[in-house]
Amino acid sequence: MQEELVLSRKEGRVGILQLNRPAQLNALNDALMDALGAALLAMEKDDAIGCIILTGSAKAFAAGADISAMQPMTLSDVTRNNFIGRNWETILQVRKPVIAAVAGYALGGGCELAMMCDFIIAADNAKFGQPEIKIGIIPGAGGTQRLPRAVSKSKAMDMVLTGRMMDAQEAERAGLVSRIVPADKLEQEALDAATIIAGMSLPSVIAAKEAVNRAYETTLTEGVRFERRSFHALFATQDQKEGMKAFLEKRKPDFRHE
């Protein structure tokens, strides 16, 4: 039997997806990205899941796109098949938070996939990079756009043009990752963070994610207007009533995600 390309499991209200092409360092090909997209959408529809973790192996989150699959492709092939756009960006349809738990290499498409997640928790052995320039192309899954927003134009230009790797410590200083943990603590740290998020009111979590993302898509004035409308709208939820009542009664809220 062919081994599953994406391993899926639940821990409480947390869904965990693991890329599973270890012999290829989780190189991303169409089959893997189709499987990942389907798994993400299944967890998006699952009311029992409030947060998702995306991870790889101890050696590689994903070492890049599968070059052996790309090398023979022509302009006609990639255009006609909407290469990358067809299935890589399914993750952007997910409204629940997605945490990237990154150990080892996150290069090329692997780095781009991690950046599509809502935030990155990195093991102390993690390495990030966009080395596409070394094989005669450029990043094609958002690397030239998301990386500058995360680490500044200068540092992104350095990485994209030289293809050099950034270690976890530099990535944290630059703002690419939210925190660094020992490699043997990565899974638990990501699970702890996801469990906290999944315990919050889901309507509030979705609204918060949308509002933060809006900051990168619009002006400050429009962003604040969007935030304010979302803030006001949450006063129509039962969780807002319960959350504030629990605060006043000095107890833990019992969110029903409605």
Side-chain angles (χ1 to χ4, degrees):
M1 291 179 62
Q2 185 177 7
E3 198 165 19
E4 290 184 77
L5 294 173
V6 176
L7 304 179
S8 174
R9 73 180 198 274
K10 295 181 187 178
E11 294 279 351
R13 282 182 49 80
V14 177
I16 302 170
L17 298 176
Q18 182 179 5
L19 305 177
N20 190 41
R21 295 187 77 205
Q24 296 81 20
L25 298 180
N26 291 330
L28 307 173
N29 62 8
D30 261 356
L32 175 55
M33 298 312 289
D34 284 343
L36 176 59
L40 283 164
L41 293 179
M43 288 189 170
E44 171 75 353
K45 294 175 183 176
D46 188 340
D47 291 338
I49 291 176
C51 189
I52 301 167
I53 296 171
L54 178 59
T55 191
S57 68
K59 193 171 184 179
F61 175 75
D66 191 330
I67 297 172
S68 65
M70 289 194 298
Q71 194 275 334
M73 292 181 184
T74 66
L75 172 59
S76 177
D77 293 333
V78 296
T79 303
R80 184 177 66 254
N81 297 324
N82 190 20
F83 180 52
I84 293 178
R86 183 183 67 80
N87 49 8
W88 284 56
E89 295 176 334
T90 304
I91 190 171
L92 302 179
Q93 300 174 32
V94 177
R95 302 178 73 198
K96 296 172 182 176
V98 182
I99 301 171
V102 176
Y105 296 109
L107 305 178
C111 185
E112 290 168 310
L113 179 60
M115 288 191 290
M116 289 185 205
C117 297
D118 295 304
F119 63 93
I120 301 170
I121 299 177
D124 52 13
N125 69 345
K127 294 185 182 297
F128 302 86
Q130 299 291 163
E132 289 89 346
I133 199 78
K134 295 181 178 182
I135 56 171
I137 55 172
I138 66 171
T144 66
Q145 304 304 302
R146 291 189 177 91
L147 192 60
R149 286 167 166 78
V151 305
S152 81
K153 175 188 173 182
S154 181
K155 193 170 286 288
M157 195 72 82
D158 177 10
M159 294 178 67
V160 170
L161 293 180
T162 68
R164 77 173 181 88
M165 288 188 289
M166 175 188 289
D167 64 21
Q169 291 71 32
E170 183 181 1
E172 184 184 38
R173 290 195 304 270
L176 180 61
V177 307
S178 66
R179 57 182 103 164
I180 303 172
V181 298
D184 62 351
K185 300 289 195 300
L186 176 64
E187 181 177 343
Q188 189 60 52
E189 186 83 7
L191 181 58
D192 288 347
T195 300
I196 290 171
I197 293 169
M200 305 298 181
S201 165
L202 185 57
S204 298
V205 167
I206 290 173
K209 171 174 172 170
E210 289 179 344
V212 173
N213 282 334
R214 184 59 64 99
Y216 287 88
E217 304 293 340
T218 189
T219 64
L220 176 59
T221 299
E222 290 302 317
V224 171
R225 183 177 290 116
F226 180 86
E227 175 194 80
R228 192 69 39 76
R229 294 294 178 263
S230 299
F231 169 75
H232 289 166
L234 289 169
F235 280 75
T237 66
Q238 293 301 311
D239 284 345
Q240 175 265 333
K241 302 296 183 291
E242 166 62 12
M244 292 189 177
K245 183 179 180 184
F247 176 83
L248 294 173
E249 295 176 353
K250 296 182 172 56
R251 62 174 174 81
K252 185 177 180 180
D254 180 21
F255 290 130
R256 301 298 176 88
H257 312 293
E258 55 188 29

